[in-house]
Amino acid sequence: MDFCNLEDLSIKKIKEMCMNKPSWELVHAIENDKRKGVQDLKKRLRNRLIAEEKNKAHLESLLSNQLNLARENNAKRVAGIDEVGRGPIAGPVVSCIASLQHDFDFNRIIKLNDSKSLTNNEREKIYNELTSSSGIKYALGTSTPEEIDKLNIQNALVISMTRAYNNLNEEIDLALVDGNFVPPTLDNIGKYVPQGDQKVASIAAASIIAKVYRDRLMDDLHNKYPQYNFKSNKGYGTKEHREAIKAHGPCCVHRKSFLSGIIQEGPSISG
């Protein structure tokens, strides 16, 4: 690209170039432009390019780790499994299993990472890219608050992961599970990966899909039970949420076994 005579261009035009054709060549080309507006643009463009390089390097690491695990386990068809909702005092636990296909366009999700490290807008964007692509096979499984209370959270996690696996319309050779255990139903093909959502591409994808799916469920529950502000707290035990339970009693989506110390015997909202 020819960057001659950039100082003759308006700041608005240079801004358009920064937005539409970002490159290190452009950063260098405007290095000596003394206009404050151009120097501000240079700084923002430089930070953007550094962030993109960092994201691309992390994505390459996610893919490389997954490939290495596949080779070590002599597996061709690999999927990642992650859950969300272990800690909240309301709502289900949700698990996702995701299998990224060979034809998936990873350039569309260079910010792929564990869901906790992303903003809500970033998660939503990546979720939409993932779930709208034919290059990924995925399935979800949930375990209800009633099951969590009856069976305990660990067993409920196993149930949700098993349901996700059973819902996947895809044969797999290796299931990489985030955390430190493999559900008994996946013993033959499962391998746990501590902090796997930060290390393996398919697990990171599963973590984002599970997170966005559960957040949307909690948003729907907010419309039914606005007094608990599920839209904001997503079922977690914030001070506001705990105070709402004390004031109104728990509803049917609260995990009663998680409410010790918050409520005594008292009113309960059904429905």
Side-chain angles (χ1 to χ4, degrees):
M1 183 182 296
D2 184 8
F3 290 119
C4 295
N5 302 319
L6 286 182
E7 293 185 11
D8 295 334
L9 298 180
S10 67
I11 294 177
K12 180 180 179 180
K13 182 62 177 179
I14 294 176
K15 181 178 181 180
E16 290 176 358
M17 295 173 67
C18 290
M19 293 178 62
N20 299 326
K21 298 180 180 179
S23 68
W24 284 108
E25 289 80 3
L26 181 53
V27 171
H28 299 318
I30 60 178
E31 182 74 37
N32 297 317
D33 193 313
K34 303 301 183 182
R35 288 174 290 178
K36 183 179 183 302
V38 175
Q39 288 304 301
D40 289 342
L41 287 172
K42 185 196 74 172
K43 182 178 180 180
R44 292 201 295 271
L45 177 57
R46 182 176 181 277
N47 290 339
R48 173 183 173 182
L49 293 171
I50 290 173
E52 288 182 354
E53 289 179 353
K54 182 179 179 180
N55 290 331
K56 287 179 180 179
H58 183 66
L59 176 59
E60 290 174 1
S61 176
L62 292 173
L63 294 169
S64 176
N65 290 339
Q66 178 161 314
L67 181 60
N68 289 337
L69 286 166
R71 288 171 175 167
E72 290 171 7
N73 292 275
N74 195 29
K76 293 183 178 179
R77 297 166 296 185
V78 180
I81 301 178
D82 200 7
E83 54 75 24
V84 65
R86 181 192 296 260
I89 60 177
V93 61
V94 175
S95 292
C96 178
I97 182 169
S99 176
L100 299 170
Q101 310 296 296
H102 295 298
D103 60 346
F104 188 84
D105 181 9
F106 288 99
N107 289 323
R108 297 167 62 183
I109 54 165
I110 64 168
K111 293 198 74 169
L112 182 66
N113 208 332
D114 70 286
S115 62
K116 297 182 292 297
S117 69
L118 301 170
T119 66
N120 182 62
N121 287 339
E122 289 169 341
R123 284 193 298 267
E124 287 281 348
K125 182 178 180 180
I126 296 174
Y127 174 92
N128 291 333
E129 292 286 1
L130 289 169
T131 57
S132 65
S133 172
S134 61
I136 181 175
K137 304 292 184 182
Y138 73 95
L140 292 150
T142 65
S143 188
T144 66
E146 292 82 5
E147 289 173 322
I148 294 169
D149 287 336
K150 181 179 179 180
L151 302 172
N152 75 44
I153 186 62
Q154 186 66 21
N155 289 326
L157 285 174
V158 169
I159 289 173
S160 69
M161 288 182 178
T162 301
R163 286 171 177 164
Y165 172 71
N166 290 338
N167 289 335
L168 183 68
N169 186 26
E170 175 87 353
E171 292 292 330
I172 59 173
D173 305 314
L174 178 64
L176 300 172
V177 184
D178 179 63
N180 56 9
F181 82 101
V182 172
T185 47
L186 298 177
D187 272 347
N188 292 335
I189 60 171
K191 180 180 180 66
Y192 68 80
V193 184
Q195 297 183 318
D197 54 359
Q198 302 173 32
K199 300 175 181 177
V200 178
S202 60
I203 300 179
S207 78
I208 292 169
I209 295 174
K211 171 64 174 171
V212 173
Y213 179 81
R214 187 181 185 280
D215 282 357
R216 291 179 178 181
L217 285 179
M218 297 311 296
D219 289 349
D220 290 340
L221 288 172
H222 173 86
N223 295 329
K224 189 172 184 181
Y225 305 106
Q227 64 268 41
Y228 303 108
N229 200 11
F230 289 143
K231 191 174 185 67
S232 174
N233 60 53
K234 309 306 182 190
Y236 284 88
T238 63
K239 180 179 179 181
E240 177 193 39
H241 188 183
R242 295 196 304 271
E243 292 300 319
I245 294 172
K246 292 176 182 178
H248 303 286
C251 70
C252 63
V253 300
H254 280 103
R255 304 173 184 179
K256 308 305 187 292
S257 58
F258 280 47
L259 301 184
S260 175
I262 300 177
I263 60 169
Q264 304 297 325
E265 293 296 324
S268 180
I269 302 173
S270 61

